[in-house]
Amino acid sequence: MAPGHPYVRIADLTVVYRSGAGHEVEAVQSVTMDLPRGRFVALAGPSGSGKSSMLYVLAGLLRPTRGTVSVDNNDLTSMSADQLARYRCANVGFIFQSFQLLPHLSAWENVALPMIPLGVTASQRRTRACKQLSSIGLGARITHKPGELSAGEQQRVAIARAVINSPTLVLADEPTGNLDAANAALVADEMERLVRDLGATVVCATHDERVASRAQVVARMDHGRLVEQS
Amino acid sequence: MQDLIGFSWTELQRQWRRVLPGVIGVAAGVAILLTVLAGSTWLGAVTGQGILSQRALSQMTVTPGSEPTFTNAQVQWMLSLPKVDGGYPIVMGAFPAAIGDDGSVFQMLNLPAAVDRPALAAGSWPGENQVVLPDSGLMSRKTGSTIDSRALVGTTVTLTIPIAQGIQGSKTHVVTVAGVYHVDASPDSFGMPAVYSTLSTLEGILIEQGVWAGTADPNGSAGFGQFVIDAAKPADVAGIAQQLEGKGLRPQFVEQSVHGLSSRIGQIQAAGGVLVVLIVLFASLSISNVLVQAVRQRRKEIAVLLAVGFTPRWIGASLMAEAALAWVASLVIGLLAAEAVAFAVFLLQPSVGLRIDTISVLLVGIGALVFCLGAAWIPSRHAMRVDPVEVLREA
């Protein structure tokens, strides 16, 4: 599929959260949009605008209340839980605002985690994880636990984990939210590199205009609606 | 699978302090159950090799109550009872007996003294069939003369023993007397080496001869005060005993001690079983509780695993694998503990050989595995139902 062709198709996407008390919150309301392959896409908007929900749907972690989502012509809404897990493992890398590294595992073990479901051997996992960490300047930190790393280093480990299986879709949820300006810039650089070198589609939910300004496509959301796409 | 086990093993190591009580509990249950099974097997073997193997469970000893000896009618009645296979008298005391060259032993004392006696036709006593047998020899009832029983040695005698006199006729033996048997006598009491035999040999002869029914007089003494009845089956003993008691006779069960022992074994087994169930139940609840807590504490970790591509099934399987690994540890510890107990028992009482057999280990092991996996089932379902979005949004 050539760059620029719709890689992600979202049609009439609606996500409604139901609280235990029976209240309903419409996080995403009838969003329809196409995202091209191999682009850096920023989902911009204030907190509570539905950006994260959009990412969770694209990751196959959240089933939409209504509408359809397809990635690379695979309809996520019709997949089983196991199929979605396999889809995530093979195609999706997820970067979280709070890194979500497992504290009892070392840097390389965290990076190697997504390779376990693919059946990669232990030795190959270690080799590839160490290589990946070295490529982002963390070669000296491979055996460090997350608690022994700075916030910027933790996020780079999280990015390494997200891309270790060479995903075609990288989803980042406020990846610079917990970082200072310098580290935020490094993360933005890294996401640009993923697009440039891996040809991945990066969808980054952010309210950081400095990150959004570096994206090739910016979709702005407000109160669950898509209000602008440029 | 290797990754699953490796992952679960890492988690188990991380959680070992919490898992330890459950592992110890299951191990204790395994050890107790294996020891109880080994003990029961040993007791069963001991009783089986002893009383049980002699058909004691189907036998009972009967005494005539207040009377010193049975009457012939009583003996006949006992033998006519349904489900009675046969019987034989227990003959004890000091008495001489003629021993035939075919190995037969003939009792000469404990025969009815007052009335009909076994016909004893010996070459040296033509026509003599009325003899009494004092300790030192034979005495003719016709002449009153006492004959030294040693005179029989080397002679050919015809011994006619009324095996069921008045009922089935008699049995005749023509033998050359090889020696004289005298219980409780010194080897030289008759001026010649005594030939010793055992009471059981004599009883065996009487059994071989068939039913000892005493004399033709129904009210006459059968000549013995103890009789052993063989029931057709162990289950028949109680019913036969009830009928005997109804007639004023006193049955004594050889099986009573066995039965008591069996009951105690059963009680030990039951108590051990209850103890094991309680311990293993506690242990499985402990394991279950640990895993439930672990799932709660690891919700974020599980959510991350789901987010990076682990399937819910894999997550559930990893918890089951943790329980299985805990089971392996419990089984090994329990087996070692049981072996240690068996060894300690051996050191204290070498005659008691407790052996932990493979089948017991397999059965107990399978049972413990079921408990462990059962304990992990609900937590693993909980883990599979973790909503990653909810957890990650909380974070």
Side-chain angles (χ1 to χ4, degrees):
Chain A
M1 193 179 287
H5 188 88
Y7 178 62
V8 177
R9 284 183 178 276
I10 300 171
D12 192 27
L13 179 68
T14 298
V15 176
V16 177
Y17 290 111
R18 290 181 176 81
S19 70
H23 301 299
E24 291 189 348
V25 176
E26 207 165 4
V28 179
Q29 301 178 41
S30 302
V31 170
T32 296
M33 69 174 169
D34 291 342
L35 300 175
R37 184 188 182 92
R39 296 296 174 90
F40 183 4
V41 180
L43 275 180
S47 293
S49 59
K51 306 185 298 292
S52 296
S53 297
M54 288 282 288
L55 293 186
Y56 289 133
V57 170
L58 288 173
L61 289 168
L62 179 64
R63 289 190 185 276
T65 309
R66 194 174 66 240
T68 59
V69 176
S70 67
V71 176
D72 203 9
N73 290 324
N74 294 311
D75 182 5
L76 304 189
T77 52
S78 63
M79 287 184 183
S80 68
D82 280 356
Q83 286 173 326
L84 284 172
R86 282 192 286 274
Y87 153 76
R88 275 195 297 279
C89 195
N91 301 294
V92 179
F94 210 114
I95 303 165
F96 303 93
Q97 179 180 355
S98 49
F99 323 134
Q100 303 294 6
L101 300 175
L102 301 189
H104 59 282
L105 300 182
S106 65
W108 82 262
E109 287 169 331
N110 267 288
V111 172
L113 269 181
M115 289 187 274
I116 293 176
L118 292 180
V120 180
T121 63
S123 62
Q124 283 184 329
R125 288 202 299 266
R126 177 162 191 150
T127 303
R128 282 172 57 182
C130 292
K131 190 176 173 186
Q132 186 74 36
L133 285 168
S134 297
S135 73
I136 57 171
L138 292 174
R141 301 287 205 174
I142 55 175
T143 57
H144 286 60
K145 298 282 173 63
E148 299 165 342
L149 301 173
S150 70
E153 287 170 332
Q154 287 187 55
Q155 190 60 297
R156 280 150 68 197
V157 172
I159 292 172
R161 182 182 66 187
V163 300
I164 191 68
N165 284 342
S166 303
T168 53
L169 179 63
V170 176
L171 305 169
D173 189 8
E174 302 282 6
T176 60
N178 286 350
L179 302 178
D180 57 27
N183 276 311
L186 282 175
V187 168
D189 289 346
E190 188 61 28
M191 287 193 289
E192 282 182 336
R193 192 185 68 79
L194 294 176
V195 174
R196 188 177 60 246
D197 295 350
L198 297 179
T201 301
V202 175
V203 181
C204 177
T206 183
H207 58 258
D208 185 340
E209 284 302 324
R210 286 171 300 181
V211 175
S213 65
R214 295 174 67 167
Q216 295 160 303
V217 177
V218 178
R220 294 192 181 279
M221 296 188 69
D222 191 23
H223 290 93
R225 293 184 181 280
L226 179 65
V227 294
E228 182 189 342
Q229 185 172 358
S230 59
Chain B
M1 178 60 81
Q2 196 179 346
D3 289 331
L4 181 75
I5 292 171
F7 188 87
S8 303
W9 177 241
T10 305
E11 288 300 311
L12 203 61
Q13 284 177 308
R14 200 157 64 90
Q15 303 278 337
W16 73 270
R17 280 193 181 83
R18 292 199 189 92
V19 175
L20 194 59
V23 170
I24 290 173
V26 175
V30 167
I32 291 171
L33 196 51
L34 286 176
T35 308
V36 167
L37 284 175
S40 301
T41 306
W42 174 76
L43 282 172
V46 168
T47 52
Q49 286 163 9
I51 300 167
L52 291 177
S53 63
Q54 296 173 18
R55 293 189 71 229
L57 279 173
S58 62
Q59 291 178 342
M60 68 188 82
T61 305
V62 189
T63 54
S66 56
E67 299 299 320
T69 58
F70 288 102
T71 64
N72 297 316
Q74 282 174 322
V75 175
Q76 289 172 37
W77 173 77
M78 285 192 285
L79 296 170
S80 69
L81 288 172
K83 299 180 179 174
V84 166
D85 265 0
Y88 59 89
I90 294 178
V91 183
M92 302 181 75
F95 58 90
I99 300 175
D101 57 357
D102 62 353
S104 302
V105 181
F106 297 96
Q107 177 195 8
M108 296 185 186
L109 179 63
N110 272 19
L111 303 175
V115 288
D116 299 318
R117 302 185 158 281
L120 175 61
S124 55
W125 305 323
E128 175 66 86
N129 64 355
Q130 296 287 304
V131 294
V132 291
L133 305 170
D135 286 351
S136 58
L138 308 178
M139 183 174 71
S140 169
R141 283 177 62 94
K142 280 186 177 175
T143 62
S145 61
T146 299
I147 304 166
D148 189 341
S149 58
R150 291 178 300 181
L152 288 171
V153 177
T155 64
T156 301
V157 298
T158 300
L159 298 168
T160 303
I161 307 293
I163 56 173
Q165 193 172 341
I167 303 172
Q168 295 175 6
S170 58
K171 189 170 183 178
T172 300
H173 296 261
V174 179
V175 295
T176 301
V177 177
V180 174
Y181 172 67
H182 191 273
V183 178
D184 293 336
S186 63
D188 295 320
S189 62
F190 296 130
M192 60 182 293
V195 179
Y196 288 94
S197 183
T198 61
L199 276 177
S200 60
T201 305
L202 182 59
E203 291 164 10
I205 292 296
L206 293 169
I207 295 165
E208 181 198 325
Q209 289 172 345
V211 175
W212 176 265
T215 65
D217 178 4
N219 296 314
S221 169
F224 44 81
Q226 275 187 296
F227 196 72
V228 175
I229 287 183
D230 255 339
K233 295 177 193 169
D236 299 331
V237 169
I240 294 169
Q242 199 174 11
Q243 296 178 70
L244 294 170
E245 284 168 346
K247 283 279 188 178
L249 307 179
R250 289 182 187 162
Q252 290 180 317
F253 299 89
V254 177
E255 70 160 333
Q256 277 174 338
S257 58
V258 178
H259 181 70
L261 188 59
S262 301
S263 298
R264 279 192 289 281
I265 292 171
Q267 287 165 359
I268 291 168
Q269 285 174 327
V274 169
L275 193 61
V276 166
V277 167
L278 287 176
I279 289 173
V280 176
L281 197 61
F282 165 78
S284 60
L285 283 175
S286 173
I287 288 177
S288 184
N289 189 42
V290 165
L291 292 177
V292 166
Q293 284 184 1
V295 169
R296 281 193 193 133
Q297 289 171 353
R298 286 154 63 182
R299 283 178 80 233
K300 183 178 154 189
E301 178 188 325
I302 292 168
V304 171
L305 293 177
L306 290 169
V308 300
F310 284 77
T311 62
R313 198 175 299 174
W314 200 98
I315 301 290
S318 75
L319 277 174
M320 298 296 277
E322 284 179 38
L325 289 170
W327 163 75
V328 171
S330 303
L331 190 61
V332 170
I333 294 169
L335 183 57
L336 290 175
E339 290 286 6
V341 169
F343 185 67
V345 169
F346 172 75
L347 289 180
L348 293 171
Q349 191 69 40
S351 62
V352 180
L354 298 188
R355 203 172 63 84
I356 312 295
D357 62 81
T358 310
I359 291 176
S360 296
V361 173
L362 282 175
L363 289 175
V364 172
I366 290 169
L369 178 62
V370 169
F371 264 103
C372 287
L373 293 184
W377 179 255
I378 290 175
S380 91
R381 298 293 105 180
H382 284 175
M384 290 172 72
R385 284 200 293 267
V386 166
D387 181 354
V389 173
E390 183 187 334
V391 177
L392 293 172
R393 287 177 79 92
E394 286 170 5

